[in-house]
């Protein structure tokens, strides 16, 4: 299955929003949501996680990282 197949299946199924779930360095599951109209872009270019997103602690504060 390629990106176009995923997009076609999602549209056929009436999907409107897609969740991308990832596990950060502290073991917390986090996610981002995109609309079906932007899915092709997300599948080819990624979901744009910043360095800061991976620096959140368990209580959603940022770890101080030099240079950020």
């Amino acid at each position: 299955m390629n990106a176009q197949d995923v997009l076609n299946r999602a549209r056929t199924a009436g999907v409107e929003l897609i969740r991308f779930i990832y596990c950060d360095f502290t073991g917390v599951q986090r996610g981002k949501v995109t609309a079906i109209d932007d899915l092709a872009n997300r599948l080819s270019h990624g979901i744009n996680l910043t360095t800061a997103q991976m620096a959140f602690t368990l209580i959603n504060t940022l770890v101080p990282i030099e240079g950020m």
Side-chain angles (χ1 to χ4, degrees), residues 8-63:
N8 291 341
R9 252 189 165 164
R11 287 191 190 280
T12 300
V15 173
E16 295 180 17
L17 295 174
I18 297 92
R19 286 187 197 152
F20 292 90
I21 307 296
Y22 64 96
C23 188
D24 71 11
F25 294 123
T26 63
V28 173
Q29 291 180 2
R30 300 187 185 273
K32 293 187 87 171
V33 176
T34 194
I36 189 71
D37 292 337
D38 197 36
L39 181 57
N41 178 50
R42 297 293 187 188
L43 291 174
S44 64
H45 298 294
I47 60 172
N48 299 324
L49 291 178
T50 66
T51 303
Q53 284 173 296
M54 296 306 285
F56 276 104
T57 67
L58 286 172
I59 57 172
N60 286 330
T61 58
L62 281 172
V63 174

